[in-house]
Amino acid sequence: MRQISDDERRTRLGRRHALAEPVASVVAATEAMTCLHATEPASVHLAAFARSGATRAAVDAALYDDRSVVKQLAMRRTVFAFPAGLLPAVWGSAAARTAHLQRGQLARDVVKVGIADDGDAWVAEQTAAVHDLLRADGPRTTMQLRAALPALDARMTYAEGKSYGGEMPIAPRVLTTLAASGVIVRGENEGGWKSSRPRWTAVEDWLPDAPDRLPEREAYAALVLSWLRTFGPGTEDDIVWWLGATKAAVRHALQDVGAVEVGVAGGIGYLAPDDTGADEETAPWAALLPALDPTTMGWKGRDWYLGPHAAAIFDRNGNGGPTAWWCGRIVGGWRQELDGSVVVVPAEPLERAATRALAEQADRLTAWLDGDVVKSIYQSPLVRAGG
């Protein structure tokens, strides 16, 4: 069994994640990563810029004009931006699993709070009503859907008895179920690039030529193969965590794609069968990545690129803040001043070359942002503490 050292894993990361060797387009950057995190809308733009130098207009064009990159609720009930060609695999695997869980929970909750006696029937009725309205009248925002469909304006209590609990409208729950199901998508955004005000659109209107979803086992195999090409080598635990899937589904997928076992620190890792060769070292590289970037969040086991900085970079819920990278390792974070200028916040003493390269990246990102300030809610403890 071939052994892959942490140094080689960091080399592979730099090359496959388009950080050591940038790519030419938004689509190429997204394909390189399998998907980009889109929980915060600005993250898609920042992640694409870090890997391709794309302008904000180019990212918007990929999302809303070409529709070559599509936002989709999938793994762990998180919004991602996927290459359109990967959607049939996502719809048949991770998104379908999320949709099943969301639909069941919503059905139970509407009965619990007295909205309906038959939760399954209520969910089926309301999801069909939303889809029918979008097909008949075209895209609508959440507010417009609530105005047109009074049932969506009902409110329900969440986290009762908790300090963070309260009331919320039921519309987002219905739309989450539909979005995960691949029935509707986040279409054109009525807000700016840093906000999320999508016009919900029936998927057949947004992507009229999209192929049907793949059968479950085939879908998981396709998604795991893409993950291996982006993140391999990774362990079974890494893949199970990333997918939010069962071990059985992951094991079947690894078998179906012919994944190759290799040794990594702490156990057995897997590579795609067409990506088992050793990589030559890349030139030294630096990068500034947004909160929840797929490189930061790609593995469950992170010691080989995170080192001792877990408590500085990740909050108590496991969310990674904006990060500063040097040659395949997280060495700090970054923040913005009120004037929009980007400042690197080291988590450790840096060598002169790293300091200089990260300062250059900060200047480059400052120029690209052009005065815009991105206010992520996922700031790292390191940055919150002022470094």
Side-chain angles (χ1 to χ4, degrees):
M1 183 184 298
R2 186 160 93 81
Q3 301 295 310
I4 296 187
S5 68
D6 289 351
D7 284 340
E8 185 176 350
R9 293 184 78 178
R10 289 189 282 266
T11 297
R12 292 174 66 91
L13 179 156
R15 181 168 284 123
R16 283 155 186 74
H17 290 204
L19 297 172
E21 299 169 354
V23 293
S25 69
V26 176
V27 175
T30 308
E31 291 174 339
M33 297 310 303
T34 295
C35 56
L36 304 178
H37 275 257
T39 302
E40 294 186 320
S43 292
V44 178
H45 296 72
L46 291 166
F49 166 70
R51 295 170 170 89
S52 69
T55 64
R56 295 195 288 279
V59 179
D60 283 343
L63 288 169
Y64 309 121
D65 298 333
D66 306 336
R67 303 173 189 180
S68 52
V69 177
V70 180
K71 292 182 179 180
Q72 170 67 41
L73 193 75
M75 299 82 73
R76 306 182 312 280
R77 206 184 67 175
T78 298
V79 182
F80 297 89
F82 288 94
L86 194 57
L87 286 173
V90 177
W91 288 333
S93 58
R97 176 177 170 81
T98 296
H100 174 74
L101 295 172
Q102 291 301 302
R103 183 177 292 270
Q105 187 61 59
L106 178 57
R108 291 188 292 273
D109 286 347
V110 295
V111 172
K112 181 180 178 180
V113 300
I115 291 175
D117 295 326
D118 186 334
D120 291 328
W122 187 93
V123 174
E125 180 182 354
Q126 301 313 320
T127 53
V130 171
H131 184 240
D132 291 345
L133 179 64
L134 295 179
R135 290 306 321 274
D137 294 344
R140 300 281 185 101
T141 65
T142 300
M143 292 295 292
Q144 289 168 339
L145 285 169
R146 288 174 60 185
L149 299 171
L152 299 186
D153 216 27
R155 302 183 71 83
M156 61 191 308
T157 302
Y158 68 98
E160 191 170 1
K162 304 290 186 180
S163 60
Y164 54 85
E167 277 195 345
M168 65 177 293
I170 205 166
R173 297 280 303 277
V174 175
L175 296 174
T176 291
T177 299
L178 278 166
S181 302
V183 174
I184 64 174
V185 295
R186 289 165 170 79
E188 293 179 358
N189 186 23
E190 289 201 342
W193 70 282
K194 297 182 294 181
S195 63
S196 179
R197 292 179 59 195
R199 301 181 71 206
W200 295 101
T201 307
V203 71
E204 56 265 52
D205 294 332
W206 190 251
L207 299 169
D209 299 323
D212 292 338
R213 68 188 61 206
L214 296 177
E216 181 180 8
R217 183 156 173 171
E218 183 181 346
Y220 270 118
L223 191 52
V224 167
L225 182 60
S226 182
W227 187 94
L228 290 172
R229 288 174 175 155
T230 296
F231 299 101
T235 66
E236 180 183 285
D237 284 347
D238 290 330
I239 305 170
V240 168
W241 175 83
W242 186 86
L243 274 177
T246 65
K247 287 187 176 182
V250 170
R251 288 170 181 170
H252 283 311
L254 290 170
Q255 177 185 358
D256 291 346
V257 304
V260 176
E261 291 187 353
V262 294
V264 295
I268 302 297
Y270 295 90
L271 289 175
D274 57 356
D275 187 28
T276 60
D279 277 29
E280 295 183 4
E281 290 188 12
T282 63
W285 59 272
L288 299 180
L289 301 181
L292 302 179
D293 187 85
T295 300
T296 305
M297 304 294 295
W299 300 265
K300 183 178 182 181
R302 299 167 177 149
D303 288 349
W304 59 276
Y305 65 93
L306 184 58
H309 304 316
I313 299 300
F314 288 82
D315 65 22
R316 287 180 290 182
N317 295 318
N319 300 306
T323 49
W325 291 73
W326 174 242
C327 295
R329 291 180 54 247
I330 294 177
V331 295
W334 60 273
R335 58 177 173 81
Q336 285 183 271
E337 303 286 12
L338 293 178
D339 64 2
S341 59
V342 174
V343 177
V344 175
V345 183
E348 63 182 60
L350 300 178
E351 59 182 280
R352 183 175 301 175
T355 299
R356 182 170 59 249
L358 286 168
E360 291 172 356
Q361 290 296 319
D363 290 343
R364 176 172 172 262
L365 182 53
T366 297
W368 184 85
L369 287 164
D370 193 26
D372 272 338
V373 176
V374 177
K375 296 180 179 179
S376 172
I377 65 172
Y378 299 108
Q379 288 293 348
S380 65
L382 172 72
V383 170
R384 289 188 187 280

